[in-house]
């Protein structure tokens, strides 16, 4: 049986912002069904790397392919789900939780068309996965920060993407909501989703991780087996003698399940 085309392949990738190098020499392949934690200190380049992987921060040099297609020729954005950093589900217009989650179906249906049975089923499932079914009619302005993040994850899920990015979803979120996020991600992982999680610390999500990639000074300092938070943030981590690559990581054969529209995020 042939291995599926990797959802992400970056070769010799570099990103510069305002002429200043941010990422350099990035070589990274993410396999189908993998749950990858992208970690590192603030300013290490991890959020810029995830934005590069979604095409939001264009490469200055090197190449990026999504599902085997060069980024310049890639148009299947419904296959990508992205929950940005420090975002809010609230907007200037009062909206219910269900209305926000429903907007995640826009990549799957024609504009102004009424929701189909498949749309409603996907929305109901997304709400159930993040544990917000009982709050579906509540206004998003009434939610806590952690509940906002779960709404954004549900919005992404409603689009049923194949590849799912989350940029620091647990930042500033209390422990019960961190656990709720972890429970939702566990469901996605068990369904075969390919997940890239950007995190400063993993907390309750640590048991879900298949592979860790740690950034330092705009480069990959470690790529291998999952690490503890205390290891990632040790002051000597990332020195040449701690740099390892594990090529033969466990791969899953089940097909990806989830999805969502691309959204903006911060650098």
């Amino acid at each position: 049986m042939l291995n599926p085309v990797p959802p992400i392949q970056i070769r010799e990738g570099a990103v510069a912002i305002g002429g200043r190098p941010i990422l350099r020499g990035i070589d990274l392949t993410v396999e189908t069904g993998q749950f990858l934690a992208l970690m590192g200190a603030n300013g290490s380049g991890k959020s810029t790397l995830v934005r590069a992987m979604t095409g939001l921060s264009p490469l200055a040099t090197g190449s990026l392919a999504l599902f085997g297609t060069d980024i310049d020729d890639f148009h299947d954005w419904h296959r990508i789900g992205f929950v940005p950093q420090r975002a809010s589900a609230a907007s200037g217009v009062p909206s219910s939780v269900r209305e926000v989650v429903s907007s995640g179906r826009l990549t799957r249906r024609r504009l102004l068309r009424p929701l189909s049975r498949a749309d409603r089923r996907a929305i109901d499932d997304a709400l159930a996965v993040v544990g917000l079914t009982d709050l579906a009619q509540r206004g998003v302005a009434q939610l806590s920060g952690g509940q906002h993040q779960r709404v954004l994850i549900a919005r992404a899920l409603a689009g049923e993407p194949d590849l799912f990015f989350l940029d620091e979803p647990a930042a500033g979120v209390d422990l019960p909501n961190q656990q709720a996020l972890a429970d939702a991600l566990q469901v996605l992982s068990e369904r075969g989703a390919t997940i890239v999680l950007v995190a400063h610390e993993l907390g309750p999500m640590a048991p879900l991780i298949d592979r860790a990639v740690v950034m330092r000074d705009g480069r990959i300092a470690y790529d291998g087996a999952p690490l503890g938070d205390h290891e990632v943030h040790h002051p000597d981590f990332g020195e040449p003698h701690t740099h390892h690559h594990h090529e033969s990581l466990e791969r899953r054969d089940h097909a990806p399940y989830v999805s969502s529209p691309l959204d903006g995020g911060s650098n």
Side-chain angles (χ1 to χ4, degrees), residues 66-231:
L66 298 176
F67 300 100
T69 300
D70 185 86
I71 187 66
D72 291 336
D73 300 316
F74 185 78
H75 302 292
D76 295 331
W77 293 107
H78 64 275
R79 302 187 69 182
I80 311 291
F82 184 38
V83 177
Q85 185 180 15
R86 293 189 300 274
S88 171
S91 65
V93 180
S95 301
S96 70
V97 168
R98 187 176 184 85
E99 287 170 337
V100 172
V101 175
S102 297
S103 70
R105 291 299 294 176
L106 291 175
T107 59
R108 292 284 182 176
R109 62 189 180 91
R110 293 181 181 177
L111 194 62
L112 302 180
R113 285 287 183 91
L115 291 171
S116 68
R117 182 178 300 176
D119 292 328
R120 291 192 294 271
R121 185 168 54 246
I123 293 162
D124 289 342
D125 180 68
L127 287 165
V129 167
V130 301
L132 291 178
T133 300
D134 292 344
L135 299 181
Q137 303 307 319
R138 182 168 296 184
V140 291
Q142 302 172 39
L143 303 181
S144 69
Q147 290 169 331
H148 272 275
Q149 284 298 92
R150 287 155 61 190
V151 171
L152 292 171
I153 291 173
R155 183 181 68 178
L157 285 175
E160 299 177 300
D162 299 317
L163 172 61
F164 198 74
F165 293 94
L166 302 101
D167 192 356
E168 303 265 18
V173 173
D174 62 22
L175 189 57
N177 274 295
Q178 287 184 38
Q179 186 60 57
L181 290 172
D183 292 343
L185 294 180
Q186 182 175 359
V187 173
L188 305 186
S189 183
E190 289 172 350
R191 290 177 175 182
T194 303
I195 301 172
V196 177
L197 170 71
V198 181
H200 184 68
E201 295 182 344
L202 295 173
M205 291 177 280
L208 307 177
I209 305 303
D210 298 321
R211 173 185 176 192
V213 169
V214 182
M215 299 295 295
R216 178 168 177 163
D217 299 328
R219 296 180 182 272
I220 294 176
Y222 175 90
D223 182 352
L227 298 170
D229 292 337
H230 65 287
E231 295 176 280

Side-chain angles (χ1 to χ4, degrees), residues 40-52:
N42 292 334
S44 62
K46 59 186 187 294
S47 288
T48 301
L49 177 53
V50 82
R51 287 171 62 81

